[in-house]
Structures are given as structure tokens and as C-alpha cells.
Amino acid sequence: MELPRDPSNVAHALVAAFPTRLAGDVQSVLTVMPETRLAPAMPFEVDVQGETVAVPSRIYNEEPGADMERPLSGTQHVILHCLYSRHSDGRVRQRHLEQIVASGEPWVVPFVVQLAGEYVLEILEAIGRGLPGLAVPSSAQRRLYGEFIAQNPAFFARTERRVVSYWSCYYRWKYGAFGTYPGCVLLEAFRDAVAEQVSAQWPRHTPPPLADVGEGPA
């Protein structure tokens, strides 16, 4: 499903990907993004600190040049990287992910977790490198991601199933045991993070890490 191509609707769709307090900053970012004839596709809703945001699954805008980005503030640069982490080109997604993965902003988290449920192996590895704090009890990163997952159990469950599906379809030949696949390693770290926040074991929607069977793509 795509949104109508009316530019005002496109702008509304991208503004809706962030908390309302950032609407002005998002509008500033949109002024430097080249226009595209394709509207943002298939938004998914998540809760960010009590507010529902709708993040597009894909955008199709070309990247702005460095001269266009220069006037943006620090927050606006992070917003721009978040939006381009949803780009249709996996290499573009990876470049922009690497600029935001270590961010401590709660509104960045859904962009990162969504990428953990996608199929580009290099992106999964980049997330693992950018979130070393997930392995550290009581760290800021562990708390940030644990709180988000606790607020969005259905979204995380869907992410888990997608990780299994892409492993089974594309990477099982390389990672015979599910537990060796970078996506599984990420899921276990996320699960530990939310378990620490809720002080209870978190439900599992994947095979145990040593599993060597899977299902078709999600």
C-alpha cells in the first residue's frame, strides 16, 4: 500500500514517523530532501514513550547533497539519517543506520529495531557493532531498548519471526545453527534487555539459538 502522491500527504506521512514535538524539525529536514514520485510505503505503528508514531517501511527520495544538509541542526541530521535508514536501497539504509545506531534518543530506536528484522547481513552486523551496551547489565543502551520492546511486544514478536524467516531463506547455508546468525545474536541481546526491564523472562517467538530449521520468508 502506498500513500497518495499529494506532497502534503507525503510530508504528513514522514512527520508522523516522529513524536509531535519534532514536527518542526522534520519539516526542516523535508525541505532538503529531493522530491520523489513514489510515496512512502507501508508505515508501521509503534509506541515511543506513550506516543504512537507511524514509520514508513520504505522511502524513495534520492539523498540530498552535503551542501544541502549543512544548515541542519544536530537533531535534524539525526532525523534525516532515520528517514534514509528506511530507503529502498540497502546500501543507503546501511550508511544512514551507521550514523544513528549509537544514538540515545528513544525515537531512533524503532528505526534500528526494524532494520534488525530485515535481510541485509551487513546491516545486522552494523547494529551489533553500534550497540555494545546491550551486553552490559544496567547500561543506558540496554535500558533504552528494553523499555521500547516492553512497550511494543507485538512489534518485537513480528521482528523475531522475520529474523527467523530471512535466516531460513537466505542464510541457513552459511549459518547452519540459528544461534550463530547475527540476527539471532541481536534478538538474544534485545530479549535480555527487555527481561532486565520487566524483571521477568520475555516470551520467545523464535527457535532456541541452536535450532537448525526455519520457515519461509515473512
Side-chain angles (χ1 to χ4, degrees), residues 63-78:
E63 295 171 281
D67 57 329
M68 295 293 293
E69 292 184 35
R70 197 167 293 116
L72 299 178
S73 70
T75 294
Q76 291 164 3
H77 271 105
V78 176

Side-chain angles (χ1 to χ4, degrees), residues 124-187:
L124 299 178
E125 294 170 338
I127 295 172
R129 290 192 302 269
L131 296 177
L134 285 180
V136 180
S138 302
S139 71
Q141 279 187 341
R142 197 177 238 209
R143 182 170 60 255
L144 183 69
Y145 281 81
E147 289 176 351
F148 173 78
I149 293 166
Q151 293 164 346
N152 296 277
F155 173 70
F156 184 63
R158 184 167 66 249
T159 301
E160 290 180 276
R161 294 184 179 105
R162 291 175 67 84
V163 169
V164 176
S165 296
Y166 287 124
W167 163 70
S168 180
C169 187
Y170 298 117
Y171 297 110
R172 188 174 164 188
W173 64 271
K174 184 174 183 179
Y175 301 96
F178 180 58
T180 65
Y181 175 53
C184 177
V185 175
L186 269 179
L187 291 182

Side-chain angles (χ1 to χ4, degrees), residues 2 6 8 20 39 41 61 67-68 71 99 106 110 123 129 138 141 150 153 171 176 184 194 201:
E2 289 186 355
D6 181 338
S8 63
T20 53
N61 309 64
D67 57 329
M68 295 293 293
Q99 300 301 312
I123 288 178
R129 290 192 302 269
S138 302
Q141 279 187 341
Y171 297 110
C184 177
V194 66
Q201 187 173 7

Side-chain angles (χ1 to χ4, degrees), residues 43-110:
F44 57 90
E45 292 189 348
V46 290
D47 180 286
V48 175
Q49 295 190 315
E51 183 174 355
T52 299
V53 299
V55 178
S57 293
R58 290 287 181 265
I59 68 168
Y60 303 92
N61 309 64
E62 294 295 324
E63 295 171 281
D67 57 329
M68 295 293 293
E69 292 184 35
R70 197 167 293 116
L72 299 178
S73 70
T75 294
Q76 291 164 3
H77 271 105
V78 176
I79 290 169
L80 181 128
H81 291 310
C82 284
L83 289 174
Y84 279 94
S85 77
R86 307 310 314 130
H87 198 270
S88 57
D89 185 320
R91 290 166 295 186
V92 175
R93 293 200 298 277
Q94 181 179 350
R95 279 200 302 272
H96 290 276
L97 162 74
E98 290 171 345
Q99 300 301 312
I100 61 171
V101 63
S103 172
E105 294 287 357
W107 44 269
V108 172
V109 175

